[in-house]
Amino acid sequence: MTSRPDLRHPAARAFGWLALIGVALGVGIGLFSAGALTATGVTSADLPPLAAPTSAPTTAPTPTPTPTPEPEPEDKGPQPKLTPVPGNRAAPGERFDIVGVLPSADKGAQLQIQVKDGDGPWDDFPVTVAATDGGRFETKIYTSRTGERKFRVTDKASGDSTPDITVTIG
């Protein structure tokens, strides 16, 4: 005689099904959460080391240079434009506007927000926006990754892009 439980008993079957459903739900929720955290940039936060000094820096902050507006050529028609964030600064996790115009984009065209960190390549940010009349667009984005980040908007169908803007996160 063996000490194997009888799986024909209704309670044993119910317990087996509940365990199987629990494992499936745990795996599904875990994969969804990992994807959501990666898409929002939460998993790639640049945090200071734990042993960092707690005193304020002794150097004076350097003033941010004010960009000089370039005159638009009058004979070429409307030019692509991306409006900078007020102060070119946002807190980690703070929503900020991406507003501009890409005249070559047709109404309803899906435009891809792209981001560039340092000298790295342009990467697709997990946000798209639809163009309206005249190629205008407006959306809100947020990121938790700190440091200087460049943003631009690209029409993947035509390859046209707006000029980039630099936003300091943090």
Side-chain angles (χ1 to χ4, degrees), residues 7 15 51 55 74 86 90 108 115 122 138 156:
L7 295 180
F15 179 73
S55 63
E74 294 177 24
V115 64
W122 284 102
E138 180 175 349
K156 291 233 176 175

Side-chain angles (χ1 to χ4, degrees), residues 64-67 81-91 96-99 113-119 122 141 143 145-153 162-170:
T64 308
T66 309
K81 182 172 93 174
L82 190 58
T83 304
V85 175
N88 293 342
R89 184 171 286 279
F96 56 93
D97 293 324
I98 296 287
V99 179
I113 310 291
Q114 292 187 321
V115 64
K116 182 177 184 179
D117 294 312
D119 294 330
W122 284 102
I141 65 169
T143 180
R145 186 176 297 174
T146 58
E148 282 193 357
R149 304 191 82 192
K150 292 183 180 182
F151 292 92
R152 72 178 182 184
V153 177
T162 63
D164 60 82
I165 57 170
T166 301
V167 179
T168 302
I169 308 296

Side-chain angles (χ1 to χ4, degrees), residues 20-102:
L20 185 63
I21 291 170
V23 168
L25 282 174
V27 168
I29 291 171
L31 289 174
F32 175 78
S33 298
L37 289 173
T38 301
T40 59
V42 172
T43 60
S44 58
D46 297 326
L47 299 175
L50 292 176
T54 57
S55 63
T58 57
T59 59
T62 55
T64 308
T66 309
T68 56
E70 296 180 14
E72 291 186 15
E74 294 177 24
D75 58 347
K76 290 187 178 180
Q79 297 294 308
K81 182 172 93 174
L82 190 58
T83 304
V85 175
N88 293 342
R89 184 171 286 279
E94 175 186 359
R95 292 184 184 272
F96 56 93
D97 293 324
I98 296 287
V99 179
V101 62
L102 191 59

